[in-house]
Amino acid sequence: MANWLEGIFQFLFKYRPTEFAKGSLAFGAPFSVVILLLAAAAIGVPAVLSYAGVRGKSTRRDRWVLGGLRVAALVVLLVCLFRPMLLLSAAVPQRNYVGVLIDDSRSMQVADENGKARSDWVEHAFGGPDSTILKALRQKFIVRLFRFSSGAQRVDSTAQLTFAANQTHLGAAVEQARQELDAVPLSGLVVLSDGADNSRVPIGDELLSLRAKSVPIFAVGLGADRFDKDIEIRRVDASHSVLRGGSLVADLLIRQRGYAGARVPLVVEDGGRIVSRDTITLPADGAISPVRVTVVANDAGPRALTFRIPVQPGEQVQQNNAQQALVDVRDGREKILYVEGEPRYEMRFIRAAVEADSNIQLVALQRTAENKFLRLNVDTADELLGGFPKSRAELFRYRALILGNIEASFFTHDQLAMLADFVNVRGGGLLMLGGRRAFAEGGYAGTPLAEVMPVVVSGDAVADSMTFFADLKASLTPPGTSHAVSQIGATPAASAARWNTLPAITTVNRIREVKPGAVTLIKGTMAVGGRAGDPGAPLKSYEQPVLVYQRYGRGLAIAFPVQDSWNWQMDPSSPAEDETFERFWRQMLRWMTSDVPSRVVVSLPTDQSNPKNPIAIRAAVSDSIFIPRNDAKVVAHLTSDSGFTRDLSLDWAIDRDGEYRGTFTPDQPGVYTVRVSAELPGGTTVGDTSYVRVADLNTEYFDAEMRAPLLKRMATETGGKFYTPATAGSLAEDVALSKHGVTVVNQMDLWDMPAVLLLLVALVTAEWSYRKMRGLA
């Protein structure tokens, strides 16, 4: 239909609509609006007067209509006498170059166009010398073909395309092609792609460069911009490190089309072995649904976990149903300091709960009398000999701290500041337990620790700490149902049910407010009396947070205002074989130490990469009190399971204290170990280890729908045009009229258009017909 209408337009006006849109109007004879008005008046006024002087049977309306028709005919003739023409800049044939960039990635194999692959259209339109669009381009330009994935590469024909590349970097590809054609007159770049860029790099700089060089992009979008039936695991976010035997929580984002409301299995595999299985309900079409999965990590070392939804009938893309995450399952021993102000059951039962855990070393410092302490599970005879650490170097050796029923006045002001810095600067985990000497009741309001805590510790809590006592019935909040610390059952649902049946515990700390940004995992319903032990006091029920946390600086601060969680184990209603208490505290201490940084922290941009992609290594180096050091000798020791070994020196990054950088490019697939050692002045050597999995990734199949917005942006910002296969027939003509490269101005007469003759005939015929109809002929 569009071609038929364009043919009629060209018959009437001699030229195509695009030529009128690109051209500008000019006149062969001297022309101005004043001259045109004077000439129109010179011939129009007598014509009107000739009818005005005729009376007879004519009315005033007849005379105006007939005069207007005659004036219109005379004006058309007058305009033709000025010889109007269309000035059109067009590329000189065979003097300009056009670069054609063809997407050679795997996503071009997706068959989403009536069962045909996206690459089929490329073969049809550019597959040979007689291909439609390629033939039209070669009639006007010198054409250079490129295939692109992570970069652009010259090819002689489409026979050299494989459509097997595992990544697409649109920005880098168009910039490389422009640079290669920089020395020749370039009319534009034609990009044939689905727009599925996965470089994670903004394309704005490349578009600015193309615009500055006056190189337009003519983008042809291939593929459907919306799949009919597909399930995709878009992303997996999981902790990069976990202690052996701990619970790993992974957050997945799942999108689907065509399977709304369907229940499908979600399987987690470790080396082909299923370690978790659950059933999920798919969201509405096009919606992105978060799903949280908990996996117990029992095998030490780097583990490549696969999260998979089995392929469903009718899926258009099957490769995007699985994602992988690389997790370092540590088999180290985390050292935690527990400070308790008095002998009590809570400390005894917590120590017993984690005693069998080979990955947790709980060092206890219990005050038995003034300036007298009981030290338990210390490594040396000198450890904590003088009580609580008095220096940052001594305190920062621990990975986490637990403060029991101990008042703020026990610590000096410097020690309280050290505790705050332990979380903020060192990045450790801090847990405050409940008790008569904890929180506001312990005088912590106004101290540096009050700012660290996730709950508001105010000085007006209670005047008499013995006036508040409440039983607490714990239950999970929505965030708590899927958090690792609360998983005391086989599944999240079983855990939530078990929390509702746990025995009541008690609190003596009134928590009135949770800080903005803090997260409540466990809440408690309380029946509160006026004074402990007073059965006649009136009761009222309200909720109070039981387990709250927040990130503070580099570390983690947790509030657990409970004084007898051991009741979960010792209550008569609890079965003797029940391990809820032990599991809860093992998971609590593992959580506290899960993300605690070492003196050297190795950071990689990703845990997975394609072969031959550069990988940047960053290492942050600190001293014993976690002050960044710029004078270390830092070396990255690289090994892989395929036998690769290399030592790479890392250089200090001048723009950031304590940071050292380097880059390596893995050639072969495998799991690469990046072990960084830093030698400080004085001979102290510290280190850290990270891992990256190098493999032929399926990133091309994720978010693989045609991204028209990106391609339209590329065309619009460079002065080009966006097409689909259905509208790409005018591509060659549009490039020729883009006014780029070597051009010539064509003068195309408009006065002899068939439309002008037809207009004159119509006006004269209309005048004669009107006179005939009115009996004035």
Side-chain angles (χ1 to χ4, degrees):
M1 182 66 177
N3 292 335
W4 181 71
L5 291 175
E6 185 174 342
I8 294 177
F9 185 94
Q10 189 170 351
F11 170 76
L12 292 175
F13 298 97
K14 291 177 56 178
Y15 311 113
R16 288 182 292 271
T18 53
E19 293 174 324
F20 276 93
K22 299 285 186 179
S24 58
L25 183 64
F27 292 87
F31 174 82
S32 70
V33 176
V34 175
I35 294 176
L36 178 61
L37 292 177
L38 290 176
I43 64 174
V45 171
V48 173
L49 293 177
S50 66
Y51 274 112
V54 178
R55 293 292 187 264
K57 296 186 296 181
S58 65
T59 64
R60 175 176 289 185
R61 186 184 69 175
D62 294 334
R63 292 192 292 273
W64 276 107
V65 170
L66 292 170
L69 291 171
R70 180 164 295 183
V71 169
L74 292 172
V75 169
V76 171
L77 287 173
L78 179 64
V79 172
C80 290
L81 290 176
F82 282 100
R83 291 167 49 203
M85 63 183 66
L86 190 67
L87 300 181
L88 188 64
S89 295
V92 178
Q94 301 305 315
R95 291 283 302 277
N96 297 286
Y97 286 73
V98 166
V100 178
L101 287 80
I102 304 175
D103 192 338
D104 197 31
S105 64
R106 293 173 181 171
S107 61
M108 295 290 286
Q109 299 180 16
V110 175
D112 58 350
E113 291 288 352
N114 299 320
K116 295 183 179 180
R118 299 166 179 177
S119 58
D120 290 350
W121 185 86
V122 174
E123 293 292 340
H124 169 72
F126 289 84
D130 296 328
S131 299
T132 54
I133 299 178
L134 181 60
K135 183 178 180 180
L137 284 171
R138 282 180 169 164
Q139 287 175 350
K140 300 176 181 294
F141 304 98
I142 302 172
V143 178
R144 293 290 181 261
L145 296 179
F146 297 82
R147 66 179 180 186
F148 74 90
S149 53
S150 59
Q153 180 183 1
R154 276 284 306 277
V155 294
D156 296 324
S157 70
T158 57
Q160 296 174 257
L161 301 176
T162 62
F163 302 109
N166 52 23
Q167 52 193 326
T168 300
H169 298 176
L170 274 169
V174 296
E175 180 61 18
Q176 287 181 21
R178 183 201 65 77
Q179 290 179 4
E180 184 161 339
L181 299 173
D182 194 42
V184 298
L186 184 60
S187 290
L189 296 175
V190 177
V191 177
L192 313 178
S193 175
D194 51 25
D197 184 282
N198 46 45
S199 64
R200 299 182 181 179
V201 177
I203 199 174
D205 290 343
E206 287 81 3
L207 296 182
L208 286 174
S209 175
L210 290 169
R211 187 170 182 177
K213 295 286 186 179
S214 296
V215 179
I217 289 180
F218 299 86
V220 182
L222 303 177
D225 57 4
R226 179 187 175 100
F227 290 144
D228 294 326
K229 303 192 75 175
D230 183 56
I231 300 174
E232 176 182 78
I233 300 179
R234 292 176 62 89
R235 193 173 70 193
V236 174
D237 288 329
S239 175
H240 295 300
S241 178
V242 65
L243 272 178
R244 183 176 63 85
S247 295
L248 171 71
V249 176
D251 292 309
L252 284 66
L253 292 181
I254 298 175
R255 186 181 70 174
Q256 70 80 33
R257 298 193 192 277
Y259 302 94
R263 292 182 59 79
V264 296
L266 175 60
V267 179
V268 184
E269 301 174 357
D270 180 2
R273 175 172 52 90
I274 296 177
V275 294
S276 176
R277 180 189 294 270
D278 198 2
T279 300
I280 63 172
T281 301
L282 294 177
D285 283 356
I288 297 177
S289 174
V291 175
R292 178 164 285 184
V293 180
T294 302
V295 180
V296 178
N298 291 317
D299 298 326
R303 314 302 304 178
L305 301 180
T306 301
F307 301 80
R308 185 190 313 276
I309 296 176
V311 175
Q312 302 300 302
E315 279 200 71
Q316 292 174 277
V317 181
Q318 301 181 3
Q319 295 88 343
N320 59 3
N321 286 42
Q323 285 267 29
Q324 286 194 322
L326 187 66
V327 179
D328 176 20
V329 182
R330 308 189 315 275
D331 196 19
R333 189 168 172 83
E334 303 288 3
K335 196 170 185 179
I336 302 172
L337 174 60
Y338 183 174
V339 183
E340 186 58 78
E342 62 184 8
R344 63 173 184 166
Y345 287 120
E346 188 76 345
M347 180 178 181
R348 170 188 167 186
F349 280 94
I350 291 175
R351 291 188 65 246
V354 300
E355 186 175 9
D357 192 333
S358 60
N359 297 110
I360 297 293
Q361 179 184 358
L362 186 60
V363 178
L365 180 67
Q366 177 181 290
R367 182 176 58 187
T368 56
E370 187 174 356
N371 295 325
K372 294 186 180 293
F373 302 94
L374 173 65
R375 298 176 298 144
L376 300 172
N377 207 18
V378 294
D379 288 331
T380 65
D382 295 334
E383 185 175 356
L384 302 176
L385 187 60
F388 188 80
K390 296 178 175 59
S391 69
R392 281 170 167 76
E394 184 183 1
L395 179 64
F396 288 5
R397 286 202 295 261
Y398 298 95
R399 306 273 289 180
L401 292 174
I402 301 175
L403 297 183
N405 189 32
I406 189 160
E407 66 280 2
S409 59
F410 167 79
F411 305 101
T412 66
H413 180 77
D414 287 344
Q415 287 175 322
L416 288 171
M418 283 167 44
L419 287 169
D421 287 344
F422 179 84
V423 181
N424 184 31
V425 177
R426 192 257 183 272
L430 175 65
L431 169 64
M432 181 174 285
L433 303 179
R436 294 291 182 190
R437 300 186 182 93
F439 294 97
E441 290 78 4
Y444 284 92
T447 68
L449 273 187
E451 183 179 348
V452 175
M453 282 292 103
V455 296
V456 175
V457 181
S458 59
D460 58 350
V462 282
D464 180 1
S465 63
M466 298 300 291
T467 60
F468 181 80
F469 180 88
D471 290 322
L472 177 154
K473 188 67 175 176
S475 62
L476 297 181
T477 64
T481 56
S482 55
H483 198 277
V485 74
S486 63
Q487 301 308 303
I488 57 176
T491 65
S495 295
R498 178 59 181 139
W499 278 105
N500 292 331
T501 60
L502 286 177
I505 48 182
T506 63
T507 180
V508 294
N509 304 107
R510 183 72 171 269
I511 305 299
R512 289 183 167 85
E513 186 179 353
V514 174
K515 290 182 180 178
V519 180
T520 302
L521 300 177
I522 303 175
K523 63 181 180 180
T525 304
M526 305 181 184
V528 185
R531 181 177 294 273
D534 184 0
L539 298 177
K540 61 180 180 178
S541 179
Y542 78 103
E543 287 186 352
Q544 172 168 308
V546 172
L547 182 61
V548 188
Y549 79 92
Q550 73 171 2
R551 303 298 307 188
Y552 184 82
R554 300 180 70 192
L556 177 70
I558 308 170
F560 187 61
V562 172
Q563 64 175 353
D564 55 0
S565 64
W566 55 267
N567 199 44
W568 289 335
Q569 181 177 20
M570 298 304 295
D571 189 87
S573 64
S574 298
E577 67 278 5
D578 183 67
E579 294 187 353
T580 297
F581 177 81
E582 290 87 345
R583 180 178 295 182
F584 172 77
W585 276 106
R586 284 198 296 267
Q587 292 175 169
M588 172 75 83
L589 300 190
R590 288 168 176 269
W591 173 40
M592 291 174 61
T593 59
S594 59
D595 295 319
V596 177
S598 303
R599 290 174 59 180
V600 176
V601 178
V602 179
S603 301
L604 303 177
T606 179
D607 61 356
Q608 300 183 79
S609 176
N610 284 301
K612 300 184 178 180
N613 273 4
I615 298 176
I617 304 173
R618 295 191 177 193
V621 180
S622 305
D623 60 12
S624 60
I625 58 175
F626 283 77
I627 294 177
R629 296 296 297 263
N630 301 328
D631 53 356
K633 181 181 179 181
V634 184
V635 178
H637 309 280
L638 310 174
T639 59
S640 76
D641 50 11
S642 62
F644 170 86
T645 60
R646 179 187 173 189
D647 285 348
L648 175 67
S649 295
L650 304 185
D651 299 323
W652 172 48
I654 300 176
D655 60 334
R656 190 162 184 178
D657 285 340
E659 185 171 293
Y660 298 78
R661 300 172 186 169
T663 302
F664 80 102
T665 302
D667 293 326
Q668 300 298 325
V671 175
Y672 285 72
T673 301
V674 181
R675 182 174 58 86
V676 174
S677 61
E679 183 180 347
L680 299 172
T684 302
T685 300
V686 290
D688 188 28
T689 302
S690 188
Y691 302 90
V692 60
R693 172 177 169 263
V694 177
D696 191 9
L697 305 178
N698 279 333
T699 51
E700 278 293 311
Y701 296 107
F702 294 90
D703 203 9
E705 294 171 326
M706 192 262 285
R707 300 185 203 171
L710 175 60
L711 296 174
K712 288 179 179 177
R713 177 192 172 194
M714 294 174 63
T716 302
E717 293 189 11
T718 59
K721 188 177 179 181
F722 171 77
Y723 306 86
T724 63
T727 62
S730 63
L731 188 149
E733 191 64 32
D734 291 341
V735 178
L737 299 177
S738 65
K739 302 180 182 180
H740 296 280
V742 179
T743 60
V744 62
V745 178
N746 296 321
Q747 298 181 358
M748 300 184 293
D749 290 333
L750 300 178
W751 62 269
D752 58 348
M753 293 187 301
V756 175
L757 177 61
L758 292 176
L759 179 59
L760 282 172
V761 172
L763 290 173
V764 173
T765 302
E767 180 186 359
W768 180 83
S769 299
Y770 188 85
R771 290 172 60 193
K772 188 75 173 176
M773 181 183 65
R774 298 289 294 171
L776 302 175

